[in-house]
Amino acid sequence: MTDSEAPPAKAPEGVSGAPALPQPVLEIASGYAFTGPALDLGALLWDGRCLPDVQIRIPLPMLNRHGLVAGATGTGKTKTLQLIAEQLSAQGVPVFLADVKGDVSGISAPGQENDKVRTRAGEVRQEWTPAGFPCEFYALGGMGHGIPVRATITSFGPVLLSKVLQLNQTQEQSLGLIFHYADQKGLELVDLKDLRAVVTFLTSDEGKSELKGIGGLSTATAGVILRSLTAFEAQGMSPFFGEPEFDTSELSRVAGDGRGTVSVLELPAVQDKPQLFSTFLMWLLADLFHDLPEVGDVDKPKLVFFFDEAHLLFNDASKAFLDAITQTVRLIRSKGVGVFFVTQTPKDVPGDVLAQLGNRVQHALRAFTPDDQKALRATVKTFPNSPYDLEEVLTALGTGEAVVTVLSEKGAPTPVAATRLRAPESLMGPVDPAALDRAVEQSPLYGRYAEAVDRESAYEKLTAREAQAAASSAPSAPSEPTSSRRRGRKGDDQDSSVVQQVVGSGVFKSLARSLGTQVGREITRSIFGTARRRR
């Protein structure tokens, strides 16, 4: 495209020196001339030139309308996440980032100026200043550098657990039945041994009759579930499930200086277990969905959640699972939470989910094979009409460049804009592991979650029941005191010192959440089968 293709027109307000620009450029500039608070992405690319007078931005209130960051490997997706996260934090919005490759931790440290940074800043008219941002670092089950993040089996629920265990639909339904029974009987499923104990009990001579009235549990299905649990544990998965359970409200914290906290979940230690961490991220999102109040449209999001390697979540997913994801993404907007999926091409995300993503940052795509060309054409069709030849543009973009369209302040899609993106102001690379460990140990959350606690739950209760049955068959053996089987119950004066120890160890919140699992009181579960808990 050349300037001769369209006559010059009057520049929109806020675009200096633009009268000589062609009409399509002026229309694009008008589409991004927002009056309210916004995030600055970069400057417009047109006809091979970078036009710093035309700034491409995202309105801050529209960040809870969700988004997609896509592009081939090496095109700059991670730096785009870092750029957006920095500006959200600066405007007081907490951010959650999944760090799959281990290179996002640098957001906590000031960046280093060099020739590339100076050149990029000059091209896009960016006043670049090195800056670090307030961060908390987490690790699934404490595997890696970070505060341990755990979930109980009860709160994780049967739907998400079935995906992790790779169960089929029939086995998933049976697992749901097992959870239903445990919920009704007050058998808290805290860790994997609790679930195994319940499954084993329900297939024993004593337990077989327990589920007859509601469908029963076949020995074959129980065997598959038990074998899946064994294989799961053999891969080192046990640390992810247990207490103290992570309180997802920690992700919505704001630092003392008013900046939003950036929560970085370090995943390099488990990147060979993609199905686990992608499903665990979905648990975090589902848990937030339960607990946050409805707020409707807000001036800025309560939290923005970046879902990296999103294709892993959707691979081999059942229809019920996909329906649950779609519903969660659709409804969590009204809780003030924005969700950005990060993946290689839009086709990695199901159409019903993609339709909910109002903001798009599409980095370069490759077209080396017929499949690549097909994916490229499919990607182009997902964009609004534009004056660009998008098939050509998307294959010609350089690193740190992207095609952008977002929702305007009125909720309408903005014109498609090829953009040279700004440089992040924080460190573009990982921080030193020793510095990362120091930051973790100095966090006020470390004492709350660092030490795992194994309290009485389903395994202990069923073991005690078995011991009591054995004791009753031998009259000379003393019966186990009732108080020992009720350890941890609210109201037991003799256990008050134990409760104090629990509070001191940081498990108090997890204990409080499980009060609803008392005998005869069933847990209310969400569309994902995750437990609705009292905070």
Side-chain angles (χ1 to χ4, degrees):
M1 296 180 186
T2 64
D3 291 358
S4 62
E5 292 178 8
K10 184 179 179 181
E13 182 180 355
V15 180
S16 62
L21 296 176
Q23 184 64 33
V25 171
L26 297 177
E27 291 175 357
I28 292 173
S30 295
Y32 291 90
F34 310 125
T35 57
L39 308 186
D40 296 311
L41 292 180
L44 182 70
L45 288 171
W46 182 266
D47 196 23
R49 293 184 295 147
C50 182
L51 307 179
D53 284 323
V54 184
Q55 292 290 311
I56 306 303
R57 312 163 75 213
I58 302 179
L60 186 61
M62 292 295 110
L63 267 295
N64 72 334
R65 302 299 179 92
H66 312 318
L68 176 74
V69 178
T73 300
T75 55
K77 296 191 298 294
T78 301
K79 299 302 175 281
T80 298
L81 303 189
Q82 195 167 339
L83 175 67
I84 295 174
E86 289 177 353
Q87 295 186 61
L88 285 169
S89 174
Q91 301 208 43
V93 178
V95 177
F96 173 89
L97 290 174
D99 187 8
V100 177
K101 297 183 289 292
D103 55 0
V104 180
S105 60
I107 196 171
S108 64
Q112 298 175 348
E113 189 173 10
N114 54 41
D115 289 341
K116 287 185 178 180
V117 169
R118 282 190 291 270
T119 299
R120 177 58 61 96
E123 290 171 342
V124 301
R125 197 170 293 166
Q126 175 187 7
E127 295 181 5
W128 189 90
T129 304
F133 295 82
C135 288
E136 291 285 0
F137 297 98
Y138 301 98
L140 288 185
M143 293 183 65
H145 302 277
I147 297 164
V149 175
R150 305 179 186 89
T152 64
I153 295 290
T154 283
S155 70
F156 205 74
V159 178
L160 293 176
L161 189 61
S162 293
K163 188 173 193 306
V164 170
L165 297 177
Q166 302 181 48
L167 303 182
N168 63 29
Q169 183 177 358
T170 299
Q171 293 154 1
E172 177 181 327
Q173 291 171 348
S174 296
L175 188 62
L177 196 63
I178 293 165
F179 272 75
H180 174 77
Y181 172 80
D183 291 349
Q184 282 192 322
K185 299 299 183 181
L187 295 172
E188 295 92 337
L189 302 176
V190 173
D191 50 27
L192 293 174
K193 73 176 185 300
D194 290 320
L195 180 57
R196 183 187 294 103
V198 173
V199 175
T200 301
F201 170 73
L202 291 174
T203 55
S204 67
D205 293 338
E206 180 186 357
K208 282 181 180 178
S209 61
E210 296 281 336
L211 295 181
K212 280 188 176 179
I214 51 174
L217 175 66
S218 74
T219 302
T221 298
V224 170
I225 294 173
L226 289 173
R227 287 193 296 273
S228 297
L229 287 173
T230 300
F232 192 63
E233 285 185 291
Q235 296 172 32
M237 305 299 193
S238 294
F240 300 111
F241 297 99
E243 292 181 318
E245 183 174 64
F246 183 68
D247 186 344
T248 51
S249 66
E250 310 283 14
L251 302 179
S252 302
R253 297 165 63 229
V254 175
D257 59 6
R259 292 183 297 173
T261 298
V262 181
S263 299
V264 181
L265 182 64
E266 294 285 323
L267 294 170
V270 294
Q271 60 181 319
D272 60 335
K273 305 172 180 66
Q275 195 164 45
L276 173 70
F277 73 70
S278 64
T279 309
F280 211 100
L281 293 182
M282 198 66 231
W283 171 78
L284 289 174
L285 192 61
D287 198 69
L288 284 165
F289 177 73
H290 298 170
D291 300 329
L292 291 174
E294 295 280 342
V295 295
D297 292 325
V298 289
D299 293 335
K300 62 182 181 181
K302 301 295 183 183
L303 172 69
V304 177
F305 194 101
F306 288 93
F307 217 125
D308 203 1
E309 301 292 343
H311 63 283
L312 300 172
L313 181 68
F314 302 111
N315 287 349
D316 301 320
S318 67
K319 183 179 184 303
F321 187 80
L322 293 177
D323 289 345
I325 293 176
T326 304
Q327 188 171 354
T328 300
V329 172
R330 181 184 296 121
L331 298 179
I332 204 169
R333 180 189 68 80
S334 64
K335 307 280 182 106
V337 176
V339 182
F340 274 68
F341 292 98
V342 185
T343 189
Q344 294 202 3
T345 71
K347 71 182 183 64
D348 293 335
V349 181
D352 289 342
V353 176
L354 193 63
Q356 307 299 318
L357 311 182
N359 303 296
R360 297 275 302 278
V361 181
Q362 176 67 59
H363 287 265
L365 291 174
R366 309 303 179 209
F368 299 140
T369 69
D371 286 343
D372 290 341
Q373 294 170 355
K374 183 177 179 181
L376 174 62
R377 288 192 292 270
T379 298
V380 169
K381 290 179 181 178
T382 65
F383 281 92
N385 292 331
S386 82
Y388 291 97
D389 181 345
L390 286 180
E391 285 196 33
E392 179 181 343
V393 170
L394 285 173
T395 55
L397 290 170
T399 301
E401 298 175 347
V403 171
V404 175
T405 179
V406 302
L407 293 182
S408 71
E409 294 167 311
K410 296 181 180 180
T414 59
V416 175
T419 306
R420 183 160 292 164
L421 299 168
R422 291 182 167 221
E425 296 184 339
S426 56
L427 184 64
M428 289 189 279
V431 298
D432 180 72
L436 182 56
D437 286 337
R438 284 194 300 271
V440 170
E441 292 171 3
Q442 292 170 4
S443 168
L445 302 182
Y446 185 76
R448 192 177 304 169
Y449 296 108
E451 184 179 354
V453 176
D454 187 11
R455 65 180 177 88
E456 184 187 58
S457 49
Y459 173 81
E460 288 79 13
K461 291 179 180 181
L462 291 172
T463 300
R465 179 189 297 186
E466 183 180 348
Q468 185 180 21
S472 64
S473 64
S476 60
S479 299
E480 182 183 1
T482 304
S483 60
S484 67
R485 288 182 283 110
R486 294 182 178 175
R487 183 168 300 280
R489 295 279 182 167
K490 184 178 178 181
D492 286 346
D493 293 338
Q494 64 269 34
D495 284 339
S496 60
S497 61
V498 175
V499 175
Q500 290 171 356
Q501 293 173 17
V502 168
V503 172
S505 68
V507 76
F508 178 72
K509 287 188 177 182
S510 294
L511 183 61
R513 294 179 196 175
S514 65
L515 290 177
T517 63
Q518 295 174 11
V519 173
R521 185 174 183 180
E522 184 179 357
I523 294 173
T524 303
R525 292 190 174 274
S526 73
I527 55 176
F528 263 111
T530 51
R532 295 183 183 273
R533 295 161 298 171
R534 294 181 176 181
R535 298 289 186 192

